[in-house]
Amino acid sequence: MNENLFASFIAPTILGLPAAVLIILFPPLLIPTSKYLINNRLITTQQWLIKLTSKQMMTMHNTKGRTWSLMLVSLIIFIATTNLLGLLPHSFTPTTQLSMNLAMAIPLWAGAVIMGFRSKIKNALAHFLPQGTPTPLIPMLVIIETISLLIQPVALAVRLTANITAGHLLMHLIGSATLAMSTINLPSTLIIFTILILLTILEIAVALIQAYVFTLLVSLYLHDNT
């Protein structure tokens, strides 16, 4: 295949206009809603998964932290559906773009930190200087803790971007190898194709796990500041 390895990560355009916004708005349209009193099995399963996920993330929060439950559930659904749609052939995955992941991570992290400074400023400032720190080490520890706090949203975004991008690249390479070997050696092609199927299953799991990890870390940052 002569296609550029990183061509699938280029933001698509329609008539010269960026189509990323339309792609980002598309996943919510796939989530079914019910207008009837009795739901079908799909809606019931969807509601059960949402309740299970929200219960897992919200049990450690107090009343103030639980006000974020709708935002966190919406976040995990959006990231999961976006990651899964990106596994379709010839599709674009917005979560492979570091700029988009930073745009999700920074406001959520900043909101949690600002809430912490407004409600528990003494506890928030105490994180910068652990109790019992020797006096000569105080300036260095304050700088280190400040850097570790500021790097949290970057770590969130880079983790999601790296995991999704690495999986897509690996699938692209193995798919290219399968196509190249199909005219050379059939048994080897079957083996590589089996590996590709197993990798696809793994990537489906990674897409869901990374959505959960991203949201769980935001939830932990919120818990530390409420």
Side-chain angles (χ1 to χ4, degrees):
M1 299 178 66
N2 295 324
E3 183 183 359
N4 184 6
L5 186 62
F6 297 95
S8 59
F9 303 113
I10 300 174
T13 58
I14 299 177
L15 300 176
L17 300 175
V21 177
L22 297 177
I23 296 173
I24 292 172
L25 295 177
F26 180 68
L29 300 178
L30 301 179
I31 300 174
T33 56
S34 177
K35 300 179 181 178
Y36 304 100
L37 182 61
I38 301 177
N39 297 326
N40 56 26
R41 294 179 181 177
L42 178 61
I43 300 294
T44 303
T45 304
Q46 172 187 305
Q47 292 178 349
W48 174 78
L49 288 173
I50 291 175
K51 289 180 181 179
L52 179 64
T53 305
S54 59
K55 183 179 179 181
Q56 288 284 338
M57 291 187 296
M58 293 292 114
T59 49
M60 59 182 174
H61 289 282
N62 55 20
T63 304
K64 184 178 293 186
R66 289 176 182 176
T67 57
W68 284 47
S69 58
L70 180 60
M71 182 182 298
L72 294 179
V73 171
S74 302
L75 178 67
I76 191 173
I77 292 175
F78 171 73
I79 297 176
T81 52
T82 303
N83 291 345
L84 291 175
L85 288 175
L87 295 175
L88 297 176
H90 303 289
S91 61
F92 172 71
T93 312
T95 47
T96 58
Q97 306 296 311
L98 183 61
S99 57
M100 175 182 166
N101 295 335
L102 285 172
M104 290 191 296
I106 292 177
L108 293 171
W109 166 84
V113 172
I114 292 172
M115 181 181 293
F117 276 102
R118 290 183 62 184
S119 60
K120 300 191 305 182
I121 186 168
K122 290 184 179 180
N123 293 335
L125 294 175
H127 289 296
F128 293 96
L129 189 62
Q131 188 175 3
T133 303
T135 305
L137 296 179
I138 289 178
M140 183 181 299
L141 280 178
V142 170
I143 294 174
I144 293 174
E145 291 297 328
T146 303
I147 294 174
S148 66
L149 177 66
L150 296 176
I151 208 172
Q152 286 178 351
V154 180
L156 266 180
V158 170
R159 181 186 295 107
L160 180 59
T161 304
N163 281 281
I164 301 302
T165 303
H168 282 58
L169 287 175
L170 192 56
M171 289 180 63
H172 187 282
L173 290 173
I174 295 180
S176 300
T178 304
L179 186 61
M181 292 293 293
S182 61
T183 57
I184 301 174
N185 192 334
L186 185 59
S188 299
T189 304
L190 295 177
I191 294 174
I192 299 176
F193 184 69
T194 304
I195 296 174
L196 180 60
I197 293 176
L198 295 176
L199 180 62
T200 303
I201 297 173
L202 176 63
E203 282 303 309
I204 293 174
V206 169
L208 298 175
I209 291 172
Q210 288 303 315
Y212 180 75
V213 168
F214 188 96
T215 311
L216 181 62
L217 289 175
V218 172
S219 178
L220 291 175
Y221 297 155
L222 177 64
H223 177 260
D224 292 337
N225 291 280
T226 54

